[in-house]
Amino acid sequence: MEPGATETTWWSLRALRFPASACLGYLVPQFSEWEAQQGGLSTDGPTSHALHYLFEAGIERPGAAALNLSGSRTSRGDAAETKDPASPRDKASGTVPEITASIGSDKAETTLWTQLEAIREASRNRSVGLLTSLAPVDRSALQRLAWRGLPDTLRAMAWKMLLDYCPMQPSRLLKSVGRKREQYWQAVADLGLVSGPRLDGRLSSEDWVRKRQIDLDVPRTAPECPLFHTSAIQDTMTRILHLWSVRHPASGYVQGLNDILVPLVYVFYADHAPEQFQLDRTLVPEQAEPLLRDAEADAYWCLCALLDALQDQYVFAQPGIQRRVQYLERLMQRIDAPLCAHLAEQNVAFMQFAFRWMNCLLVREFPLPVTLRLWDAYLSERGTFAAFHVYVCAALLVRFSAELQQRQFPELVLFLQNLPTRDWTEQDISLLLSQAYLWKAVFADARRL
Amino acid sequence: MAVRPDDEYDYLFKIVLIGDSGVGKSNLLSRFTRNEFNLESKSTIGVEFATRSVQTDGKVIKAQIWDTAGQERYRAITSAYYRGAVGALLVYDISKRSSFENAERWLKELRDHADQNIVIMLVGNKSDLKHLRSVSIEEGQQYAETKGLSFIETSALDASHVEEAFVRILTDIYRLVHKRSLTTGDSAGGKSASGIVYQAGRGETISVGNLSHESRSSKRKCCG
Ligand SMILES: Nc1nc2c(ncn2[C@@H]2O[C@H](COP(=O)(O)OP(=O)(O)OP(=O)(O)O)[C@@H](O)[C@H]2O)c(=O)[nH]1
Ligand SMILES: [Mg+2]
C-alpha cells in the first residue's frame, strides 16, 4: 500500500470510529509490504516509518481540517484507570481526537482561546460579574488544544484548569482559588517559613534535614536561567518545596523535585508579571512581589496535583521509577531491538540513563521553553501522563538510535547523559510527541510487554 | 575496528565517588576530567559517569569514575554501582561537620555493597573555605588512619590536590594489583575485583579479572 493510500485508509477507518490501535494494526503490515517492494526506503524500520508518516499525515498537521475540536464526545472518563503503563487496555480511543468530516477546527480553537483569554482577564481584575457571565470551558476541547501546544499567554490558565486547580466553571473560579491561596499562606506561616526561607524554632529535626537539602538544591536549580538566581524566586522555591515535603512525609523532599517545580513557577510567575519574568532577568522588582504571592500559591497546589500520580517515584527505594524504567526497556525491545542489543552488548543498563528521565520528567534534558511545550501535552493527558511519559522516553531513544549505535561504551554513556538537545525547538517536541502517541496506541493493547 | 590512541590503556579501574550531598563530588570529577568547576552545578540524580586516563610507572591507567547522588533516598540506586569498583573516594566538606561525621555511615555502605578489597581514600573537600573550616586536617588524618584509609584535602574550586587525589588512589590500586599478583599463588581464593580490566595491544577488552589470580602475563588472556 502506498503512503497516499495509507493516509486515506487511515481516515476512513477512523471515521468509522475504529480505535487508533486497530487502524494501525491493519495499516502497518500493509505499509511495510509496500515499503519492502520499494526496496526498503526507511532506515529506522518499516513500522516506525509508517507510524511517523501516518501521524504527520494527519493528527499533527496544524489546523488539520479533519479534527473536530468543537465539543465532540470523546470519552475521558476512562483515563483515570490507566495508571499502570503495563495494564492491558485500549485507551487509544479516549485520546485520539475524534475524526469527523467537519471543517470547524480553526473556529473552535479560536473560540476556546477567546474564552480562556476572557476568563484570564476577568480573574485578574477580580471581576465576579464578568466571570459569572462566561460559559464553562469544555475540558476535552482544552485537552486537545493543550496536546498541540498552548500559546504562552494562555498556558498558565490552561495548566491550572487541566490540573483541576481552577474550576472549568468561571463563576466558581475566584472563590475556589482564593480559598486555596489563603490556605497556602496560612500553612507557610504555621511552619514559620513566612518571612523568607529563614526559620524559627518550629521545625523537627527531620524537617531540618529536609530543609538543609532544599537549601542546598535551590541555588543549584536551573543554573542556565538567571531568573532562578533571584532571591524572590529562590525564596518561593524554598517555601513550596518545604511545605510539600512536610505535607508528604512518605517521600519528603527528594532531589529533582526542585527541577519539576521550575516549569510551574516560571509559567505562573510569567503570567502575573510578564515584563519582569523574562528568563534572563537578574532582578525581580519589589513592586512585583505582592502579585507573586498568588503565583506562588498556585505553583504549590499545582505541584501537589502533578505529583499526585507520581508519589511512588519518590518514596523509599523509588519503586515507581524502577517500574517505569523496566517498562521502558520492555517497550524498547519491541520498538528498537537493535538498539537494545547494542546497549546490552556495551553493558549500559537502562537504569543508568533513564533514572533521571523519570525522576525529573525530562526537565533536565531540554531547554525550559521546550519543556513547557512537552508539559502542555503531559498535562492534557493528566492521570495517564506518567505512562505516556515512558513512551516519550522511548521516542527520545529512538530519535538518537543511530548515533547511539555508533558509539562504544564510555562515549555511549556520556552521550546519553548529555543528549544533544540544547538547540531543540517545539517542532522537535511535536515530533517526539507524535511518535510517542502512536506507540502508546499500538502497544497499549500488548498484554505481555 | 581501529582503536584511537586515547583509547589505549594498560589498566582500567572502576572508581566510585561517594559522600553527602553538596560536598562537591561532581565538581571534583569535572575538575579532574575536564578541568571545570561550577558554582551552580546541578545536583546529581542517580549516577553520572566520566573517564580519564593517567600515566604511572610508564603504564596508562584509565579511570572509569562513577559519581553518585548524595541524598539518602538514592542509596538503593547508587549502591548498585559499588559492585565491581576497585576504588572509592569518600568525600566530605571540611566546612560541614555533619558530612565528616557521616563518613562512618558511608563506610558501612561500602562494607555492605562493595568488594571487600576496595581501596578507599578519605577526601576533605573545599579546603579553600579556610574561614569556615569545621574539621581540622589532623582530625581527618587521624580518622583515616584508624580506619586504614588514605587521606587528602582538596579544593575543586581552586583545583588544589584534585589531580593528586585521583592519581594517588589509582596508583595505590595499581601497586596493590602488582603486589598481589606477585605474592599470591593460583590457588588463593581471594575476593574478586571485577572492576579491573586488562586490555590487550589490539584494544579489545579481554578480561574481567580476578584480583588474586592476575599476573602480568594474564594481561593477554581471560582468567576470570
Ligand atoms: N568553595 C568551594 N565550593 C565547592 C567546592 N566543590 C564544590 N563546591 C560547591 O559546593 C556545591 C555542591 O557541589 P557538587 O559538586 O554539586 O556536590 P555533590 O557532592 O556532587 O552533590 P550531590 O550531587 O547533591 O550529591 C556547589 O555549589 C559547588 O560549587 C570547593 O572545593 N570549594
Ligand atoms: Mg553531584
Side-chain angles (χ1 to χ4, degrees), chain A residues 40 42 67 106 124 168 190 193 219 237 243 297 310 333 338 344 367 372 380 389 391 407 434 441 445:
Chain A
S42 130
L67 302 190
D106 290 339
R124 287 172 75 131
M168 298 283 166
D190 289 348
L193 288 165
M237 300 269 303
L243 183 62
L310 296 173
Q333 295 284 2
L372 301 185
S380 82
H389 175 65
Y391 290 89
R407 287 177 167 73
S434 315
D445 287 334

Side-chain angles (χ1 to χ4, degrees), chain A residues 82-267:
Chain A
T82 60
K83 285 211 179 89
D84 186 289
S87 69
R89 74 216 139 89
D90 175 18
K91 285 297 157 292
S93 52
T95 39
V96 175
E98 290 296 308
I99 311 302
T100 75
S102 86
I103 307 185
S105 68
D106 290 339
K107 186 163 157 281
E109 200 171 289
T110 317
T111 313
L112 185 58
W113 279 31
T114 321
Q115 196 185 356
L116 286 174
E117 196 69 71
I119 297 173
R120 176 169 175 261
E121 269 317 294
S123 66
R124 287 172 75 131
N125 302 327
R126 306 199 187 279
S127 161
V128 183
L130 195 54
L131 280 170
T132 318
S133 71
L134 292 169
V137 173
D138 176 356
R139 170 178 280 275
S140 51
L142 180 59
Q143 281 170 321
R144 282 190 294 269
L145 184 66
W147 166 259
R148 294 164 52 183
L150 291 157
D152 287 342
T153 48
L154 298 182
R155 182 169 279 129
M157 180 53 80
W159 281 17
K160 287 182 219 175
M161 286 183 162
L162 290 167
L163 285 165
D164 288 318
Y165 173 65
C166 283
M168 298 283 166
Q169 179 67 257
S171 59
R172 289 182 32 229
L173 195 142
L174 283 183
K175 207 165 158 196
S176 153
V177 166
R179 205 176 52 234
K180 286 290 195 186
R181 288 172 179 164
E182 257 171 51
Q183 281 172 11
Y184 171 79
W185 284 104
Q186 187 56 50
V188 164
D190 289 348
L191 269 180
L193 288 165
V194 79
S195 55
R198 286 165 301 281
L199 293 162
D200 56 22
R202 271 174 274 186
L203 293 182
S204 71
S205 66
E206 217 170 284
D207 288 341
W208 271 107
V209 173
R210 282 178 197 145
K211 180 69 171 51
R212 202 158 48 207
Q213 189 68 59
I214 293 169
D215 286 347
L216 259 175
D217 287 357
V218 165
R220 293 191 286 169
T221 304
E224 64 284 357
C225 309
L227 180 66
F228 280 83
H229 296 179
T230 60
S231 63
I233 292 246
Q234 296 202 343
D235 289 357
T236 287
M237 300 269 303
T238 304
R239 283 188 293 261
I240 294 177
L241 290 171
H242 193 76
L243 183 62
W244 190 90
S245 72
V246 169
R247 291 263 179 102
H248 297 82
S251 60
Y253 172 73
V254 177
Q255 291 185 299
L257 292 178
N258 56 329
D259 294 283
I260 290 184
L261 182 56
V262 167
L264 295 172
V265 165
Y266 173 68
V267 167

Side-chain angles (χ1 to χ4, degrees), chain B residues 105-181:
Chain B
R105 276 211 248 166
W106 287 106
L107 284 177
K108 183 176 176 333
E109 280 291 310
L110 286 175
R111 271 201 304 278
D112 291 349
H113 301 284
D115 290 315
Q116 149 199 339
N117 287 331
I118 193 167
V119 176
I120 307 168
M121 178 183 253
L122 184 68
V123 180
N125 188 39
K126 308 200 187 179
S127 60
D128 56 286
L129 298 176
K130 295 185 184 70
H131 51 299
L132 295 170
R133 180 186 281 278
S134 69
V135 183
S136 69
I137 300 188
E138 294 73 32
E139 227 179 327
Q141 211 145 31
Q142 203 168 24
Y143 180 76
E145 246 166 60
T146 60
K147 296 288 172 183
L149 323 172
S150 51
F151 174 77
I152 197 166
E153 276 199 358
T154 58
S155 164
L157 184 141
D158 67 22
S160 65
H161 303 302
V162 176
E163 179 94 8
E164 202 184 323
F166 283 96
V167 170
R168 234 173 74 192
I169 192 167
L170 291 169
T171 310
D172 285 352
I173 296 164
Y174 168 75
R175 294 232 176 87
L176 211 65
V177 171
H178 265 264
K179 207 169 81 201
R180 292 222 185 123
S181 66

Side-chain angles (χ1 to χ4, degrees), chain B residues 191-203:
Chain B
K191 182 83 179 168
S192 150
S194 48
I196 304 176
V197 175
Y198 298 82
Q199 197 183 37
R202 288 209 333 277

Side-chain angles (χ1 to χ4, degrees), chain A residues 213 253 255 314 364 417, chain B residues 21 41 43 49 71 73-74:
Chain A
Q213 189 68 59
Y253 172 73
Q255 291 185 299
Y314 305 105
R364 289 240 184 146
Q417 267 171 206
Chain B
S21 175
S41 61
S43 65
F49 170 85
Q71 202 188 6
R73 181 52 39 86
Y74 292 123

Side-chain angles (χ1 to χ4, degrees), chain A residues 16 27 155 204-205 278 309 330 348 391 397 421 425:
Chain A
L16 293 169
L27 286 172
R155 182 169 279 129
S204 71
S205 66
Q278 303 301 313
R330 290 201 299 274
V348 176
Y391 290 89
L397 274 174
T421 47
T425 62

Side-chain angles (χ1 to χ4, degrees), chain A residues 220, chain B residues 22 24-27 41-45 67-70:
Chain A
R220 293 191 286 169
Chain B
K25 300 179 294 296
S26 299
N27 275 286
S41 61
K42 295 177 189 177
S43 65
T44 307
I45 307 293
D67 172 23
T68 63

